[in-house]
Each structure stands twice: as structure tokens, then as C-alpha cells.
Amino acid sequence: MFERPVRSFGRLLLAACAVSLGVTGLQAQTAPAAPSEPNPSRADIFLGYSYFGTHSPIKPANIQYSSIDLGAIGSGAYYFNKYVGGEVVFAAHPDGKNDSLYTISAGPIFRYPAQNFTVFAHGLVGGAKLGGPNTIAGYNPTMWGTALTAGGGMDYDTPLFNHKLGIRLFQADYQYIHDNFGPANPGGGVVGGRANISAAQLSSGLLWHIGSIIPPPPVTYSCVASPATVFPGDPVTVTGTAANLNPKKTATYSWTSDAGSVSGTSSTANVDTKSLNPGSYTVKGHVEEGKKVGQFADCSAPFTVKAFEPPTISCSASPSSLRPGESATITANGVSPQNRPLTYSYSSTSGSVSGNGTSATLSTAGAAPGTVTVTCNVVDDKGQTASATTSVSVVAPPPPPAPKTSSLCTVNFERDKKRPSRVDNEGKACLDDVALNLQRSSDAKVALAGSADSKEKHGDTVSSERALNAKEYLVKDKGIDASRVATYTSTTEGKTVTTTLIPAGATFSTSGLTEVIWCLHGCTP
């Protein structure tokens, strides 16, 4: 009979261990890593299931008590340090085969906390309210006696509720109980006798951790000034960062400075530097959530006020290359480190520059080709100045391109077989266009090159007559000065006169041509 409940409780312990290991694996994946050193609780409260197993007899009746399968147990332990504490335990086993047992006891408890598990041992002295055993002869009413307990167990610290919830995997105790029921009273149904019970008490359940042995880390405070270097009048913001504050408490902040005006009642303060001379200064901050050591901290943040600096300026020109008489835009960019108001002015080595803002105009009218240097000047309201230069190249325009000859129309002599050198009306129309070009360009000339077919007799003479007849029409009929018309014969095959306009300054190539002298009164060429 004793082995079956023990086996049942063994299965219960295995199930509890499996659940604990499952929770451990899950939390290892989802919870942050536990601290490298355990921080054991100051106090533990335990509630759970309890099994009481015994077969000790009552004397002199020699009737055995039975094990009690159903029971509850609760305990409270307070630890003086990491390893040693005191414990009070109450257990109730109300009815087990008509036997009952209630115990309350106290004594020292010893533990060894590891990373996630804690093993413990305790020794307890107290009272036991025992009843039974129930037999045919009778039954002993419950009566207080003495209880001695010694044993130990193992707890698992879960990450739930910020490591406050734990599981008591098992608690195994040896109990000795002594109770004296007095003489038997068969008529009254009282068995009587003395009970000296040796028993095993097995328990498992949940733990709730309260407080901690290791005190919380002290409050720390650091602060920084931004910007760390300013000019007089520039604002400085000091930001403090407190660590290890208790979220359940309200922290207060205060600020002081060795110069200047500082304001702020939170973790941020502002410093007014208008009245400060150049030099180094310090702002001090204080955070407090209690008067005890470790509940307040101080910080300091240095900053520097430096003297006003002169402005700087850059200067550029667009475009940077001009022809005489053209203009360029001059752009100046002045910067005051302390944002003082700025005034601009300009000068140049030649030409003229106008403007008094960040942009001016350079005129190169009257400037000779070469480099013009423009100076950009800036001054702030403190009289501090800066200047920069930029260069503009004035480039002489290139000479105009040399004029070129151009071919005009061609006079054709194919149509009049009997008079092969006569200029017909279609040819005159071509020469009219040539005359019009000469009239438009009074300094231009024209070259007339006559050609003959290789089958024509006296081809050289015919080609000359064709060129001369064309010139005669231009001179006599169109009024073109004869000196502006040059005549040639060409070796090119064809019954034509080609016309080429020669602007002044253009070069006309006579390669392959022979000049023909024109006679106004019919002289022989």
C-alpha cells in the first residue's frame, strides 16, 4: 500500500521537472540573458501539494497508521544572508483513510543559490495535531504532540514576473511525530496509547520570491554640454543621463553653474552665456530619489566660451573668361562664426565693379585683354575684416574667318548650234544673278571660265569667246566694272561658262585655267 502513493508522487515529480525544463528552454529563447551572478531573494513563500507516507503503529494496540495521499503545505522563509535563514512551515493532511495530521513547525533553513536552481536543507521543531488510527475498536480524537522534521529539496527560478515566480521541484523530509493519547477506553471507542511515527513527507508547488539579498546598484549620473564650445550669447544645453533609478520612485533634478545663469528642473538644463567672458566653465547636476547612500548622484559638464572670431569670405566669378566689354557676376560668401552682421565691398584692377551685397557685377568695358583681379571685402559690426580675390580673363576676339570663293550659276551653250558662243536668254538670266551678287558686294569680283566640248573645232577659241561674251554682257548690259570680271578658259569638258564669286580677301585658285584678255573694241585675245 505504501509503494503505490510513492509511485504516484514520483510521476508527479517527473511531470513537474518536464514542465520546468520546457519553461527553461522557452525562456532561453525569448527572455534576456540572466545575470552572471544570482541575486537570491530576501524571503520566499511556498504553497504546494504534500504527501505523508508512514506505516508506524500505535502502542500498545499495535495498530498502524496509514499514508495520507492528499495534503497541502505552505511555508515562509526569511534569509539573513545569501545562505542562512529561518523558516515556518504549516502542513495539513486532513483525512487519509480516516487518519488526519496537521503540523506547524519552525527552524533554520540553509540554501545554495546557483544560476537558475537553488538547493536547500532545513531542520524544524514544532507541534503535530494527530488523529486516528480508525479501527473497529475505536478511534483516537485529534491531539497535539511533538514534531521533528529534517530534509531538503530543489527550487527552479523561472524568468516569469521578473524572476519572482519559482517552482519547487521537490521537497523531501523525514518527520518524527510523538503523541500520547492516554489509556484506552473501549467503552468510549478510544484506542488510546502512544504514537511514535517515522514518516516521509514529499512536497512540490510554487514559490514567490520577495526582495533580494544583494542591494540594488547605486544611482549614477552623467551629463554633457552641447555645444561644448560657444561664443558669448550662444545657448548651451546640458543633458543628464541617470542610471539605476527605481521606476517606482520619482527622481528630482537640480542644476548649478560656476558662472552664468542655468535653469532646469528635469534632466535637461539651459545655460545663458550672454554675460560670460571667454574662458572655461562647469555646470553641475544632481539627481535624487532618496536620502540614503546610493539613491542620489552628481555629475558635471564643462563648456568653453571663446572670443569672437573674424569673418571669412570666399569669392568667385561667373563666367571667368570674357571678351572686352562683356560683364561677369561676382559672388561673395561671407561667414561670421558668431553670426555677426556683415557688410560687403568690391574693387578690381581694371574695368569697373558695382554692388555692395553678396553679389556684384564686373564690367570689362575699356579693359585691355589680360587678367582682371577682383577683390571681395567683408567687415562685421565689430570691425573685423576679411578679403578674398578672384580672377577674370579678358580675351581678345579671334580674327574673322578668311572669306572664301563661292560657285554661282553656269551658262550653258548647248542650244544654239549655229552660234555656239552666243549668250542666249537663259544664259543672260544666269548672268543677271551674277550681276546682282556683284552689286551686293561692291568689293567682290567674279571669275568666268569658258569650256568647250572635245568634239568642237577650234575648241580653245570657242571656249575663250564664250567667256568673253559673258563678260561683255556683264560690262555693257549690266554695268559691271570690267576690272571686277576675270575671264579664263578651262580644260573641263563641256559647252559652258562657270561663274565663281570672289569676295575681297578671298584666294581664287587658277589651277587648270588659262587667263583670257578681254578687249572692249573687238581686239583679238
Side-chain angles (χ1 to χ4, degrees):
M1 293 176 63
F2 180 73
E3 295 179 354
R4 182 177 298 173
V6 172
R7 287 198 301 269
S8 299
F9 185 75
R11 296 189 187 99
L12 179 63
L13 279 180
L14 289 175
C17 291
V19 171
S20 302
L21 292 175
V23 172
T24 303
L26 177 61
Q27 293 301 321
Q29 298 178 13
T30 60
S36 58
E37 291 293 334
N39 185 6
S41 56
R42 174 64 70 178
D44 289 340
I45 296 176
F46 167 61
L47 293 174
Y49 163 81
S50 177
Y51 165 79
F52 181 80
T54 184
H55 289 286
S56 297
I58 187 171
K59 300 292 185 176
N62 204 30
I63 302 173
Q64 288 185 335
Y65 279 88
S66 300
S67 299
I68 304 176
D69 296 339
L70 299 177
I73 187 171
S75 68
Y78 181 87
Y79 291 92
F80 309 112
N81 54 42
K82 187 175 180 180
Y83 304 104
V84 181
E87 182 182 34
V88 176
V89 181
F90 174 78
H93 301 87
D95 289 301
K97 298 185 176 61
N98 295 320
D99 298 329
S100 63
L101 174 65
Y102 298 87
T103 60
I104 182 168
S105 53
I109 183 170
F110 307 90
R111 68 179 176 182
Y112 181 79
Q115 186 63 55
N116 294 309
F117 295 89
T118 298
V119 293
F120 66 92
H122 56 192
L124 308 172
V125 177
K129 190 177 182 181
L130 180 66
N134 189 21
T135 66
I136 297 176
Y139 179 80
N140 283 329
T142 57
M143 184 173 292
W144 283 99
T146 303
L148 301 176
T149 303
M154 177 181 286
D155 298 333
Y156 167 64
D157 178 24
T158 76
L160 301 175
F161 302 102
N162 196 24
H163 295 273
K164 292 186 180 297
L165 181 65
I167 298 175
R168 180 149 291 177
L169 300 178
F170 70 89
Q171 177 176 314
D173 294 319
Y174 167 77
Q175 280 192 326
Y176 171 76
I177 299 172
H178 172 75
D179 210 338
N180 189 349
F181 293 100
N185 184 4
V190 177
V191 175
R194 294 182 307 277
N196 294 294
I197 298 176
S198 294
Q201 183 176 350
L202 303 177
S203 307
S204 180
L206 299 178
L207 278 173
W208 186 259
H209 303 300
I210 301 173
S212 62
I213 293 295
I214 301 175
V219 173
T220 60
Y221 200 32
S222 62
C223 51
V224 61
S226 179
T229 303
V230 296
F231 296 101
D234 291 345
V236 174
T237 300
V238 182
T239 303
T241 302
N244 304 324
L245 290 176
N246 188 340
K248 296 181 180 180
K249 295 183 179 181
T250 301
T252 59
Y253 299 84
S254 60
W255 299 91
T256 59
S257 175
D258 54 6
S261 174
V262 59
S263 60
T265 57
S266 65
S267 59
T268 301
N270 297 309
V271 183
D272 186 355
T273 65
K274 292 179 181 178
S275 61
L276 297 183
N277 294 320
S280 298
Y281 302 92
T282 301
V283 174
K284 295 182 179 180
H286 179 80
V287 61
E288 181 178 304
E289 62 178 10
K291 299 298 183 181
K292 297 180 180 179
V293 176
Q295 294 181 334
F296 55 85
D298 298 303
C299 71
S300 62
F303 69 94
T304 301
V305 178
K306 62 181 181 178
F308 289 122
E309 295 179 358
T312 59
I313 189 172
S314 61
C315 193
S316 63
S318 178
S320 59
S321 180
L322 301 173
R323 293 182 180 181
E326 295 181 341
S327 299
T329 298
I330 307 301
T331 302
N333 182 25
V335 177
S336 171
Q338 54 279 327
N339 296 319
R340 311 303 303 179
L342 301 175
T343 302
Y344 295 85
S345 62
Y346 302 87
S347 62
S348 63
T349 55
S350 62
S352 61
V353 60
S354 59
N356 56 10
T358 57
S359 179
T361 301
L362 170 67
S363 173
T364 60
T371 300
V372 177
T373 300
V374 178
T375 302
C376 304
N377 304 294
V378 66
V379 58
D380 64 13
D381 62 343
K382 298 292 183 180
Q384 300 179 108
T385 63
S387 62
T389 61
T390 186
S391 298
V392 176
S393 296
V394 179
V395 181
K404 296 181 180 181
T405 62
S406 59
S407 297
L408 301 178
C409 58
T410 300
V411 180
N412 195 295
F413 293 88
E414 290 280 356
R415 288 170 291 279
D416 194 341
K417 304 295 184 182
K418 294 180 179 182
R419 292 173 293 182
S421 59
R422 173 181 172 269
V423 178
D424 59 14
N425 290 335
E426 186 175 341
K428 292 178 180 179
C430 170
L431 295 174
D432 289 344
D433 183 64
V434 172
L436 182 61
N437 279 275
L438 291 172
Q439 291 166 358
R440 290 172 178 168
S441 302
S442 60
D443 57 351
K445 296 181 179 181
V446 68
L448 305 177
S451 301
D453 194 304
S454 59
K455 296 180 181 181
E456 290 185 279
K457 294 180 180 181
H458 310 292
D460 291 341
T461 302
V462 174
S463 60
S464 298
E465 292 177 349
R466 288 170 177 164
L468 294 174
N469 288 340
K471 179 174 181 178
E472 185 176 6
Y473 178 78
L474 290 174
V475 173
K476 292 183 177 181
D477 292 6
K478 305 306 293 183
I480 302 300
D481 192 310
S483 63
R484 298 178 63 193
V485 182
T487 53
Y488 300 91
T489 59
S490 173
T491 58
T492 302
E493 184 82 8
K495 300 176 181 181
T496 61
V497 170
T498 60
T499 62
T500 302
L501 185 66
I502 308 172
T507 301
F508 176 69
S509 175
T510 58
S511 176
L513 301 178
T514 302
E515 186 176 5
V516 179
I517 303 302
W518 182 73
C519 296
L520 181 60
H521 300 289
C523 58
T524 302

